[in-house]
Amino acid sequence: MTDPIMHALPDGTTVRLREIEPDDGPRLLAMWARTSAASRRARLPEHLDVDESTIDGFVDLDPARQFALVATLGRGEDEVIIGVARYERHDDDPDVADFAALVEDAHQGRGIGSGLVRHLALQAREAGVRRLTGDAIRVDDRTLQLIAEVGLQLDDAEGTVEADLDVDLGDAFLRTVDDAQLRAARAAVERFLHPQRIAVVGASRDRASIAGLVFANLMEGGFDGPVYPVNPSAESVQGVVAYPDLASCPAVPDLAVVCLPATKVATAVDEAGELGVKAVVVISAGFAEVGGAGAAREAELLEVARGHGMRLLGPNCMGLLNGASDVRMNATFSTTFPAPGRVAMSSQSGALGLAVLDHAASLGIGISSFVSIGNKADISGNDLLAYWETDEATDVVLLYLESFGNPRNFSRIARRVSRNKPVVVVKSGRTDAGRRAASSHTAAVGTGDRAAAALFEQTGVIRTDTLEAMFDVATLLASQPLPRGRRVAVLTNAGGPGILAVDACEANGLDVPELSAETQDRLRALLAEEAGTRNPVDLVAGASGQDYAEALRVLGASGEVDAVVVIFIPTGTATGPEVASALADVATELDDELVLLSVFMSKRGVPDELAAARVPSYAFPEDAARALGRVADHAAWRARPLGSVVRPDDIRTEAARGVVQGALAFERTPSGAPLIGRAHGTELADASRGRDRGRTVWLSQLETEAVLRAYGIPLARSRIVRSPEDAADAQRELACPVVVKLASPIHKTDVGGIELDLRSPTEAASAVGRLRERLAEQDLTEHGDRFLVQELVQGVEMLVGVTHDPSFGPLVVTGMGGTLVELVRDVAVRVTPITDRDVAEMLDSLRMKPLLEGYRGAPPGDVEALTDLLFRIGALVEDLPEVVELDCNPVFVRPKGQGVVAVDVRIRVADPS
């Protein structure tokens, strides 16, 4: 552990956790003096008592035996230690270590101790400690609570705290950590959205300025708590007595909103922290978004906030609002304050947030809360998702994202939230320019926006391409139930829009079935003779509001459709208000599970009658169909089981890790072979101790095969050779048709580096000569020192691999393989970890799926073996973070029951530090 960790506490504040340093002696002695003797006796063994004579041994540790973490507040010379945790390995058994933790009395009960012990346990296991024991700790109620919070176990028989790190740091531990993080995030956001007292630092008398608008909105929006304007240059602001600084306010604010020049913000935040303010919104711009000095200012601002345990929203944001009728807090500079509602929104862009609020209000979408996260230096979209998950005022969540702070956290939180509340996202930055520099087939087809699309698909998040489409979906979700299925009836008074609606429905994955004879007979008995009844149901131009109502009742009672799209176009007979009133009346009679949408193609826009009846209305049929298609996809995702991560039993992780770590220790030749040491085997693990940190290398062929075989991945039989004579011997030994190809980590087909279907030793030997000639012609002779002679394998060619996205981390990729992979791009991508459901959906989504099922008389492929291969690749990339690129192309899928074989394999590794 090198960098400090900002640990979020259950009360919504933070504390800094860092490794103890040799100059921490005075700080630790000061903490010792502030801690009662009773606390020290209960938490520490006697030999850990600290005083002037023993302090050096406590802060200057032997890294091979000891490690300690401290919890601190403040920064620089003002930093104070408020908690400490340490372990010390047993001399006779280094796998076992004693541990202890102490938090000073004033900060006990805040979750600091559990945070210290949790991170200590993680560090201990990383260092090779397999069991922590606290048998010197007195087991009392507070100890029991701490152990439960950490997620470790208590040895009841001995009355001691003892943790088997190989067991206890598993799923239960991770769930405990995850739950603690979620509670902390929710508590933090609660501080922002439910303050009792607010101060606006920099409040202005000019209502046209941002600082003036923020203050005016708070005063006029309905917030019933005090709002303090802080302005040293004014006696009053907009008719309210002003205060020269935060300390002069009648009471300490719960929330401070800072609207000052960027250079003055850190000072104001520091003052707020000194007073005990726990939440600060920084509206001001001029930070990381401008780079250079702005980025430095943002880093300083964050350090100031963290030094006080304070949470920070922004900087460079437009603020936040709570639209609930009992709060009505508008701490933004938007002049629009939407009505109370059940939709929560977050925007990373402040300017866009203004448009978002205006549009929501124009559509009649009520808002529960809105948060602009700006540069998200601290509070992030993940924190907001965690809050909205349990917010009883929120049913639907809308997000505008430019980037992810922590995609893995987003994946975990969003997957859970989407099971109960729809999450709709507009994600900017869809271009895939990064793939132009990709070094393998997998990286070329798996990077960029594909990763975001995979993440959203896995988590059930509804992605839209535009803000308008996001609001179309939100309008539907906020007013109608999720559809039971994809069957849609179209009810219209004009044939053209009806046909457009049918086409749009089918284009969005919806089904427009022909209605049964019984339902058509019921419609004919009610409608004009020339009306169409098959679906779409065409009422013809002379239809009245009553005709719409009667037809809608029949469709709703038929049980043959899950949704009805009603289209009205002015024809000169019925009026928009008449039809809208008729639909609103019938809407109350319909099955609660039937989805009803309307399309009013008139200048009047959305009729008020429909808004009152909570029937969504759209300008064009395509808009309604697109929104319904997205929502139907989400409903289908929610109905499916989540799936589980499958880990095969015969995996040898340590063997693979030894190869990877050893490979990072060696210099390489241009062909990828190690210059020193052996090329594969667990004996390389010891060499990793002196490796060059931060290196990235391609594994040699033997190293690659060793890693893959450790994970049970089937490989074609092969031999590494260095001469034509060796190639002849290898073909003779394999006794089957072979291929000869370069063993260097370059694209072989691009340089003519492969010879196929060689059936004799002579042919294999000649192939080596031809490959060397081609390399010489291209000035690539450095790649001609080693060749791979491999059995010829046949089957359906697939790509299976891993690439590392800078935002999303490891991605598993599969799809059509071979030389055309980058041209055809028929691939599926998933963010790790992958579940059995993810794997099934990946294979089902491929256009080449018929080839695996047996196309035009060919035998079906061994999909079960391919699925198992993907599970093994998923496990490999989770176990070995050093693997940043893995390319198995092609993987031949043999006929059912005959398995799969990976033929051309490459692995690139990098030191994760």
Side-chain angles (χ1 to χ4, degrees):
M1 176 178 176
T2 54
D3 296 329
I5 297 170
M6 294 314 301
H7 179 65
L9 300 174
D11 63 0
T13 61
T14 64
V15 65
R16 181 188 292 105
L17 305 183
R18 63 168 174 79
E19 189 172 350
I20 202 165
E21 298 173 353
D23 62 356
D24 277 329
R27 298 185 185 93
L28 194 58
L29 285 170
M31 175 202 150
W32 217 257
R34 295 191 302 269
T35 306
S36 67
S39 290
R40 295 199 298 268
R41 284 196 303 270
R43 307 288 171 260
L44 301 175
E46 292 182 3
H47 72 274
L48 285 185
D49 195 26
V50 174
D51 56 29
E52 292 282 357
S53 64
T54 61
I55 189 64
D56 288 344
F58 203 98
V59 298
D60 191 8
L61 304 180
D62 176 1
R65 299 176 54 252
Q66 301 164 310
F67 181 83
L69 285 173
V70 292
T72 75
L73 292 174
R75 62 193 183 110
E77 295 182 357
D78 296 327
E79 185 182 30
V80 295
I81 293 176
I82 60 173
V84 60
R86 61 173 280 160
Y87 70 74
E88 183 168 343
R89 296 174 114 148
H90 291 190
D91 291 334
D92 57 342
D93 188 357
D95 285 349
V96 181
D98 290 327
F99 82 98
L102 177 67
V103 176
E104 69 174 76
D105 295 38
H107 292 279
Q108 290 178 8
R110 298 181 59 206
I112 297 172
S114 59
L116 281 166
V117 175
R118 188 176 295 133
H119 287 285
L120 187 77
L122 291 170
Q123 186 66 31
R125 188 170 71 167
E126 181 70 20
V129 175
R130 291 296 171 255
R131 193 165 77 252
L132 284 178
T133 178
D135 55 3
I137 301 175
R138 191 176 71 193
V139 179
D140 56 12
D141 290 343
R142 180 60 63 84
T143 303
L144 292 173
Q145 178 184 353
L146 181 145
I147 295 303
E149 290 173 351
V150 171
L152 302 179
Q153 302 297 318
L154 178 70
D155 185 337
D156 292 321
E158 300 294 333
T160 62
V161 177
E162 188 166 312
D164 182 343
L165 298 188
D166 284 334
V167 175
D168 288 346
L169 300 193
D171 290 343
F173 176 83
L174 294 176
R175 283 194 300 271
T176 303
V177 172
D178 197 33
D179 290 344
Q181 291 174 341
L182 290 174
R183 288 194 302 272
R186 291 164 185 158
V189 176
E190 178 82 11
R191 289 184 178 275
F192 286 91
L193 289 174
H194 291 272
Q196 300 298 310
R197 296 175 294 275
I198 302 174
V200 179
V201 182
S204 174
R205 290 172 290 187
D206 180 6
R207 289 179 177 240
S209 69
I210 288 178
L213 275 171
V214 170
F215 183 74
N217 287 343
L218 282 167
M219 295 299 298
E220 299 169 4
F223 181 69
D224 61 0
V227 180
Y228 307 132
V230 177
N231 187 328
S233 303
E235 293 185 358
S236 66
V237 172
Q238 300 179 30
V240 179
V241 173
Y243 304 94
D245 50 42
L246 281 169
S248 302
C249 294
V252 175
D254 303 298
L255 175 68
V257 183
V258 180
C259 308
L260 293 172
T263 55
K264 298 182 178 181
V265 169
T267 300
V269 172
D270 193 30
E271 180 188 1
E274 290 288 346
L275 287 173
V277 177
K278 300 302 183 185
V280 174
V281 179
V282 177
I283 305 289
S284 315
F287 291 89
E289 79 279 1
V290 300
R297 276 194 295 270
E298 184 165 313
E300 179 191 10
L301 172 62
L302 189 56
E303 276 300 301
V304 169
R306 286 174 170 175
H308 294 291
M310 176 191 298
R311 302 310 300 266
L312 177 73
L313 179 65
N316 184 36
C317 71
M318 63 172 287
L320 77 166
L321 61 83
N322 187 333
S325 56
D326 61 338
V327 180
R328 301 303 288 168
M329 177 193 72
N330 183 5
T332 75
F333 51 86
S334 169
T335 56
T336 300
F337 195 1
R342 309 288 301 176
V343 177
M345 292 192 293
S346 173
S347 173
Q348 198 167 336
S349 165
L352 199 59
L354 296 173
V356 163
L357 290 176
D358 285 343
H359 198 54
S362 69
L363 294 174
I365 295 178
I367 300 300
S368 60
S369 53
F370 170 87
V371 182
S372 168
I373 55 178
N375 292 0
K376 55 181 182 180
D378 181 17
I379 294 294
S380 68
N382 291 343
D383 296 320
L384 298 176
L385 269 180
Y387 173 80
W388 284 324
E389 178 185 10
T390 56
D391 179 27
E392 295 181 356
T394 296
D395 292 334
V396 180
V397 176
L398 309 182
L399 304 175
Y400 170 76
L401 299 176
E402 294 173 354
S403 63
F404 291 94
N406 188 322
R408 288 198 169 193
N409 280 349
F410 179 88
S411 176
R412 288 198 304 271
I413 299 170
R415 192 184 300 235
R416 189 179 58 251
V417 175
S418 294
R419 284 281 155 179
N420 300 297
K421 298 181 181 182
V423 179
V424 190
V425 168
V426 175
K427 170 68 172 65
S428 63
R430 299 185 67 117
T431 58
D432 200 12
R435 69 186 179 210
R436 290 194 295 266
S439 53
S440 71
H441 297 296
T442 301
V445 298
T447 54
D449 193 59
R450 287 181 183 272
L455 181 63
F456 294 139
E457 188 169 349
Q458 284 174 267
T459 56
V461 168
I462 304 171
R463 182 180 190 174
T464 63
D465 297 328
T466 64
L467 287 170
E468 183 178 12
M470 179 179 75
F471 279 109
D472 285 343
V473 171
T475 301
L476 178 57
L477 290 169
S479 58
Q480 296 291 301
L482 292 178
R484 294 168 295 192
R486 299 180 180 273
R487 302 171 301 169
V488 181
V490 177
L491 179 61
T492 179
N493 67 342
I499 294 172
L500 289 175
V502 171
D503 290 344
C505 283
E506 293 184 351
N508 284 279
L510 302 169
D511 180 26
V512 186
E514 182 173 344
L515 299 172
S516 67
E518 180 183 355
T519 298
Q520 290 192 52
D521 287 344
R522 292 186 62 194
L523 289 169
R524 290 191 190 98
L526 298 170
L527 305 178
E529 183 178 352
E530 62 272 24
T533 59
R534 298 175 63 184
N535 197 12
V537 177
D538 186 358
L539 302 177
V540 302
S544 65
Q546 185 63 25
D547 292 331
Y548 271 97
E550 294 296 338
L552 181 56
R553 287 191 179 96
V554 171
L555 293 172
S558 69
E560 299 174 26
V561 294
D562 307 300
V564 180
V565 178
V566 180
I567 303 173
F568 171 76
I569 187 168
T571 60
T573 52
T575 65
E578 175 191 348
V579 173
S581 295
L583 296 180
D585 291 341
V586 177
T588 61
E589 307 170 14
L590 298 175
D591 183 339
D592 289 342
E593 295 186 348
L594 184 73
V595 179
L596 179 60
L597 303 84
S598 67
V599 178
F600 274 69
M601 301 175 66
S602 63
K603 293 182 180 179
R604 186 178 185 278
V606 181
D608 295 335
E609 298 84 354
L610 291 180
R614 294 177 58 82
V615 176
S617 189
Y618 300 88
F620 299 102
E622 294 87 348
D623 299 332
R626 180 181 56 198
L628 182 57
R630 294 283 201 280
V631 174
D633 289 342
H634 174 71
W637 176 87
R638 191 182 286 192
R640 294 194 296 266
L642 277 175
S644 57
V645 176
V646 177
R647 184 179 178 85
D649 295 330
D650 57 344
I651 288 173
R652 296 180 292 116
T653 303
E654 291 306 318
R657 182 174 288 119
V659 175
V660 170
Q661 293 181 343
L664 285 167
F666 291 96
E667 296 297 325
R668 323 294 284 192
T669 68
S671 66
L675 281 172
I676 59 174
R678 298 182 61 182
H680 63 290
T682 56
E683 65 273 11
L684 291 180
D686 290 339
S688 66
R689 296 172 182 167
R691 68 177 179 262
D692 181 15
R693 311 300 286 178
R695 295 188 65 221
T696 175
V697 297
W698 286 97
L699 298 187
S700 70
Q701 182 69 29
L702 289 178
E703 289 167 333
T704 298
E705 290 184 4
V707 170
L708 296 179
R709 290 188 192 283
Y711 276 81
I713 294 169
L715 301 172
R717 294 182 300 147
S718 62
R719 304 289 185 271
I720 292 289
V721 302
R722 296 181 179 275
S723 68
E725 295 76 17
D726 291 343
D729 291 341
Q731 195 282 332
R732 189 177 296 111
E733 180 183 350
L734 292 171
C736 65
V738 299
V739 300
V740 176
K741 53 190 174 184
L742 303 179
S744 182
I746 60 175
H747 288 315
K748 299 164 184 60
T749 53
D750 292 348
V751 298
I754 185 169
E755 291 273 333
L756 301 171
D757 198 15
L758 307 170
R759 296 176 176 269
S760 70
T762 301
E763 290 181 0
S766 300
V768 171
R770 290 193 295 273
L771 293 178
R772 282 179 169 166
E773 289 175 1
R774 291 179 199 143
L775 291 173
E777 291 170 359
Q778 301 172 71
D779 293 326
L780 296 172
T781 54
E782 68 271 18
H783 294 286
D785 60 339
R786 299 162 72 248
F787 301 88
L788 185 70
V789 179
Q790 189 175 69
E791 65 175 320
L792 181 65
V793 182
Q794 294 181 319
V796 178
E797 288 187 276
M798 296 284 293
L799 163 74
V800 175
V802 174
T803 186
H804 195 280
D805 186 274
S807 295
F808 296 90
L811 309 173
V812 174
V813 182
T814 192
M816 177 177 284
T819 58
L820 299 180
V821 57
E822 294 179 42
L823 179 63
V824 177
R825 293 188 177 276
D826 181 19
V827 297
V829 179
R830 289 294 184 274
V831 178
T832 60
I834 57 172
T835 66
D836 51 357
R837 171 59 58 184
D838 292 329
V839 170
E841 290 176 355
M842 290 172 78
L843 298 179
D844 284 343
S845 70
L846 298 174
R847 297 193 303 274
M848 63 160 293
K849 183 184 176 184
L851 296 178
L852 295 173
E853 296 174 332
Y855 186 65
R856 291 193 172 182
D862 199 335
V863 176
E864 184 176 345
L866 178 60
T867 299
D868 179 70
L869 172 61
L870 286 164
F871 291 151
R872 294 175 184 276
I873 293 293
L876 185 155
V877 71
E878 284 292 294
D879 292 344
L880 304 175
E882 297 92 344
V883 174
V884 294
E885 207 166 330
L886 185 155
D887 201 38
C888 299
N889 180 37
V891 170
F892 283 102
V893 181
R894 291 169 160 172
K896 189 173 182 178
Q898 298 182 29
V900 297
V901 179
V903 171
D904 201 352
V905 291
R906 305 168 66 198
I907 293 178
R908 184 168 65 89
V909 296
D911 196 304
S913 62

